[in-house]
Amino acid sequence: MEDLIIARRLRVPVDDAGDDTPGWDGVAARQLDAALLSVGFTCSPALLDRLARLPGEQVIDLGVRVLAVVRRLVGDHVEHNAYFIDFPKNVPDTLEFWAGLLREAMLDPVAAARLQPGILNLLDLPRYGSYQHTYADLLAAHAELIPLARDRVTVLELGGSLRDEARELYLSLAGSEIPLAAEDLAALRALAAFCADFCADDQPEHVPVRENRAAINEVRLAAGQPLLVDTVTDVLRLAALCSDGDVTLATPTRLRSFRRAERRILLAALDTVPAAKHGDVLRHREQWKRLGERLHPHEYPQFPRAAQVFDVARGVRKAVSFGGRIEAALAAGRTEEAVSLLEHTPGALLRRLDHLLRVGGGSAVPEAAERSVTRASGRVLLSLREHLQNRLAPVNRVFTNRYGRAWATPDTRASLDEEPLNRTLAILDEEISRRLPDLGEVIADPAVLDVALPLSGKAVAPGLGMLPRGSLSPVDGELLRFFVHWRQRERRTDYDLSALMLDPTYDNPTHISWTSYANDFATYSGDLTEAPDGASEFIDVRLAHATKPIIIPQVDIYAGERFDEAAEAFFGYMTRDAAQEGRPFEPRTVRMKSDLRGSGRIALPLVFLRGDDDVWRVKWLHLYLSGHPAFNQVEGNRVTTSLLVRSIVERDYLRVGYLVDLLRAKFSTGGHVTYIGLETPADLPEGTRVYTPATLHELIPA
């Protein structure tokens, strides 16, 4: 729990209770701060002062735990060796390297005997694909990094007690208006169980996301409490979660058996759902049949409506889903009837607004939309606002699922009339502004204004410096270095770090990979084809010399385990000044690090863009391509990659600056202060409310 709070909030929980008599005169606190600086972190003045008043032994114990968390956060918990020991210096020409390996193999009788006659697999040449030196050898070949003012220094703040910090994080995640990343949902489950005893009476007033509700219901079920349910699907999600299955219900779950007390609670919850909502059963009919086999509803005659749910699943009882009624009306050309039905579910109406406007319906559609905006969720309003603003100047359509898998296609839809479109945008702006809380005087870091609003967190794995898809941030440094590290679990696994480089028209590609080690401005660290103990690859880009303004790093699975099957897999990037050398991996220069996950075979974490002002910026993608089962290479996916990345870059994402403008227009200065930025500055007035990337989801209105 302590690790979770430090990693998610960059706050160190320190209980108020205990001996405050310093044993070592604050020496241990200063030693901890020095150790943290070596990996790019430091204690805030308040945290340093608090640690200085604790016994030295306690500070050391806490420091060991904190240091382990932040080292993992930046990827410094593993040894990052490089294939070429002098990288980025003395990297050979690609053909020269292969010719040298072949020459050595042919001159070595033992190695030559292992080569198959008539077939030459370059990847099987001796000395290829595995380290030829130890990590200690690499350290000896590289000087210490010279610290510069632009090196990353992330401040760790003083937290409250472990219980208080856990409660605050629990309420933030449970009440989130956006779907959580898989890692955050797992954190919510742990927090719900941890907080069950001491904050049972302090639960979130509203749990809008269904998956979050299932995590809370899991604890309530274990405690024998009534469930938070308003649809039948809430019960099925809970059953899947309790069975360690997919709470999103995208994939079937092998449901476990339930104790009699659990069956009674689940059936009682089902019995509270009106029969009008039983049509939702049809979407997951087979899973409902399996759940019926586990719950034995016929044994509980006191829950007749619960039994009807399983009758619908078996086809004994007829039910029509709400979506089916809408589709039938639209298929028959009865648009006004469909609009009338959708008004009962304002969120569904607004999600279909574009389609309804295109199929006709006269003035009924915009009038129904205007009535619905006051009853739909804030996330739906913001999502519709982003969608409609992109209809003003259509670009390629991008479809992304919860796993980050994406595809793009030209927008062939009929255009919308400009007058009703602008009217709808004005209505949305007015309603969103009305719902925003009173934050007083808003101070915003200019760097946060181009961060995309977090309307969904599902595709974003938590990590260091992570921002939502579509966010834009400047790149501060002369040398850009990508890195990937992986460790195989059961079978030989070969990941390849590559970079696709394009001109302003997203054409004329060049690349850096294991088939092309270097060009005039980029260098590859060498290919590793297995990772039983872990392997790292790097690419250096000298930004001032870059002849291509679009650089897309990617990680291709050439062979072996998927990202979510490997024991460990993560990607990140560092920035340095030209004078800085040091090791290939220097934690103080890491700007972003995130786990790789998902079933795709090609990862596209972000894209680097040079603007007309000659400034480099990074745009966040968080995308995965399906790829081939094996042998993926950057040369083979360049068309798909360029189309998809261009679609993301040209899309107009709704950014934090949009909400900041609404907040400033609505509230006057004076009174309390709110700060919105990428990190918490040290000189804020006491009592300032702070929003950083970890808490930006709290800005999304209900």
Side-chain angles (χ1 to χ4, degrees):
M1 195 56 56
E2 183 182 65
D3 294 356
L4 180 66
I5 292 164
I6 296 171
R8 290 294 192 277
R9 291 299 179 90
L10 298 177
R11 294 168 64 87
V12 180
V14 180
D15 289 329
D16 290 332
D19 184 7
D20 275 3
T21 305
W24 299 352
D25 245 357
V27 172
R30 292 193 296 274
Q31 289 176 339
L32 171 58
D33 198 44
L36 289 171
L37 280 171
S38 69
V39 290
F41 291 83
T42 188
C43 297
S44 69
L47 176 58
L48 198 61
D49 178 68
R50 183 71 180 91
L51 293 177
R53 292 186 284 111
L54 294 177
E57 296 82 359
Q58 187 175 339
V59 175
I60 289 177
D61 290 342
L62 177 62
V64 169
R65 301 194 301 271
V66 172
L67 195 58
V69 173
V70 298
R71 290 188 65 193
R72 179 171 290 277
L73 200 58
V74 297
D76 191 46
H77 61 292
V78 297
E79 295 180 346
H80 291 275
N81 205 347
Y83 182 83
F84 296 120
I85 192 170
D86 291 331
F87 171 82
K89 298 178 180 178
N90 300 324
V91 173
D93 175 78
T94 311
L95 293 180
E96 177 187 327
F97 170 74
W98 287 107
L101 286 184
L102 184 59
R103 185 186 309 111
E104 290 180 15
M106 299 307 295
L107 293 177
D108 184 347
V110 176
R114 290 203 301 266
L115 299 177
Q116 300 181 32
I119 299 175
L120 179 59
N121 185 348
L122 296 178
L123 302 185
D124 287 338
L125 290 174
R127 296 201 316 108
Y128 183 79
S130 59
Y131 290 118
Q132 303 301 306
H133 52 267
T134 66
Y135 183 63
D137 294 334
L138 179 122
L139 293 182
H142 290 269
E144 178 104 12
L145 179 79
I146 303 171
L148 293 179
R150 289 200 293 186
D151 289 350
R152 177 190 54 79
V153 179
T154 302
V155 178
L156 296 177
E157 299 289 344
L158 171 64
S161 68
L162 183 61
R163 286 190 170 193
D164 289 344
E165 291 294 329
R167 172 185 166 279
E168 182 179 336
L169 182 55
Y170 166 62
L171 294 176
S172 175
L173 294 179
S176 172
E177 292 287 335
I178 66 170
L180 300 177
E183 292 82 357
D184 280 337
L185 186 59
L188 176 59
R189 292 180 69 186
L191 286 161
F194 181 78
C195 298
D197 294 334
F198 60 87
C199 65
D201 298 329
D202 189 11
Q203 296 294 321
E205 298 178 2
H206 180 52
V207 185
V209 178
R210 300 290 175 176
E211 292 93 331
N212 298 359
R213 188 177 299 183
I216 295 171
N217 277 335
E218 183 182 28
V219 175
R220 297 177 71 90
L221 180 65
Q225 299 173 343
L227 305 180
L228 307 175
V229 167
D230 58 19
T231 70
V232 293
T233 311
D234 286 336
V235 175
L236 187 59
R237 289 187 194 279
L238 173 58
L241 189 66
C242 292
S243 305
D244 293 326
D246 182 7
V247 70
T248 68
L249 304 180
T251 56
T253 296
R254 185 179 180 86
L255 299 173
R256 68 170 175 86
S257 298
F258 292 92
R259 295 180 290 105
R260 179 172 290 274
E262 292 175 326
R263 297 202 300 268
R264 189 180 298 109
I265 293 173
L266 291 168
L267 290 170
L270 275 179
D271 200 63
T272 64
V273 180
K277 295 187 177 182
H278 288 181
D280 295 344
V281 171
L282 302 177
R283 187 176 180 184
H284 305 286
R285 172 176 283 173
E286 293 304 315
Q287 282 284 277
W288 278 110
K289 291 178 184 178
R290 304 291 82 79
L291 182 59
E293 295 168 358
R294 300 292 188 269
L295 297 186
H296 312 296
H298 60 279
E299 297 179 2
Y300 301 88
Q302 67 269 38
F303 304 128
R305 272 203 299 245
Q308 292 173 10
V309 170
F310 299 99
D311 288 343
V312 171
R314 297 197 311 271
V316 176
R317 187 181 184 88
K318 296 296 182 182
V320 180
S321 69
F322 179 76
R325 295 168 64 189
I326 302 301
E327 292 299 332
L330 290 174
R334 302 191 302 271
T335 305
E336 291 188 4
E337 179 185 337
V339 171
S340 178
L341 289 170
L342 283 167
E343 279 205 76
H344 297 289
T345 55
L349 186 145
L350 294 178
R351 290 187 182 95
R352 289 175 175 261
L353 183 60
D354 192 310
H355 181 215
L356 293 173
L357 289 171
R358 284 184 281 117
V359 299
S363 61
V365 174
E367 290 173 359
E370 188 169 353
R371 291 190 297 269
S372 296
V373 294
T374 59
R375 296 180 291 131
S377 72
R379 176 173 173 260
V380 168
L381 300 183
L382 290 167
S383 298
L384 179 61
R385 179 61 164 85
E386 180 176 286
H387 169 80
L388 293 180
Q389 72 187 26
N390 281 279
R391 292 287 268 143
L392 292 169
V395 295
N396 284 339
R397 301 179 69 184
V398 181
F399 300 90
T400 309
N401 65 16
R402 60 173 57 89
Y403 307 111
R405 298 272 288 276
W407 62 99
T409 183
D411 190 351
T412 58
R413 294 170 298 180
S415 60
L416 300 177
D417 291 340
E418 190 170 336
E419 183 179 346
L421 184 58
N422 287 329
R423 176 188 171 192
T424 305
L425 289 173
I427 292 170
L428 290 171
D429 291 342
E430 182 180 354
E431 178 61 23
I432 293 167
S433 177
R434 184 186 70 81
R435 296 191 188 191
L436 290 174
D438 182 0
L439 298 182
E441 181 181 358
V442 176
I443 302 173
D445 177 4
V448 83
L449 299 180
D450 283 330
V451 172
L453 286 175
L455 300 181
S456 176
K458 288 197 172 184
V460 184
L464 177 74
M466 298 298 290
L467 296 175
R469 180 184 295 122
S471 298
L472 199 64
S473 52
V475 177
D476 185 17
E478 300 167 303
L479 179 69
L480 182 63
R481 179 170 295 175
F482 314 131
F483 63 88
V484 65
H485 179 88
W486 76 99
R487 179 166 53 87
Q488 63 202 42
R489 188 182 300 275
E490 296 178 347
R491 53 196 171 107
R492 187 182 73 83
T493 298
D494 179 4
Y495 293 172
D496 292 320
L497 180 63
S498 310
L500 180 65
M501 302 160 179
L502 305 169
D503 68 11
T505 65
Y506 290 81
D507 204 354
N508 298 316
T510 59
H511 69 272
I512 293 293
S513 72
W514 66 274
T515 62
S516 178
Y517 284 173
N519 60 23
D520 293 338
F521 60 91
T523 309
Y524 178 54
S525 69
D527 186 25
L528 296 159
T529 60
E530 58 182 352
D533 301 313
S536 299
E537 294 183 5
F538 305 88
I539 289 178
D540 261 18
V541 179
R542 295 174 293 282
L543 293 176
H545 299 88
T547 56
K548 302 282 187 177
I550 301 169
I551 301 174
I552 310 169
Q554 62 180 252
V555 183
D556 298 271
I557 300 180
Y558 190 81
E561 299 164 341
R562 299 194 313 258
F563 297 125
D564 56 358
E565 293 176 332
E568 187 170 30
F570 58 83
F571 167 90
Y573 78 89
M574 298 171 272
T575 57
R576 305 189 191 187
D577 284 351
Q580 289 181 294
E581 295 181 356
R583 299 171 294 175
F585 182 88
E586 288 286 0
R588 283 175 290 183
T589 66
V590 173
R591 305 292 176 171
M592 166 267 179
K593 177 262 178 182
S594 175
D595 290 343
L596 296 171
R597 57 183 174 89
S599 57
R601 312 289 290 186
I602 300 165
L604 302 174
L606 28 77
V607 55
F608 292 85
L609 308 163
R610 185 173 60 205
D612 296 336
D613 55 2
D614 212 33
V615 174
W616 283 91
R617 296 175 177 86
V618 56
K619 193 152 195 173
W620 301 78
L621 302 177
H622 307 300
L623 298 178
Y624 291 85
L625 303 182
S626 299
H628 302 291
F631 313 127
N632 292 288
Q633 295 177 245
V634 63
E635 301 97 309
N637 62 62
R638 65 178 182 82
V639 175
T640 304
T641 297
S642 60
L643 173 63
L644 188 56
V645 170
R646 183 172 191 168
S647 302
I648 295 289
V649 170
E650 293 180 349
R651 180 175 175 80
D652 184 14
Y653 283 85
L654 205 59
R655 296 180 288 272
V656 172
Y658 167 78
L659 284 188
V660 169
D661 289 342
L662 292 182
L663 287 166
R664 286 174 171 168
K666 183 175 182 180
F667 303 114
S668 60
T669 60
H672 55 283
V673 176
T674 297
Y675 179 83
I676 306 173
L678 296 180
E679 54 188 21
T680 305
D683 55 351
L684 290 176
E686 186 177 352
T688 300
R689 178 72 182 271
V690 177
Y691 291 93
T692 61
T695 54
L696 281 180
H697 65 273
E698 297 177 5
L699 283 173
I700 306 299

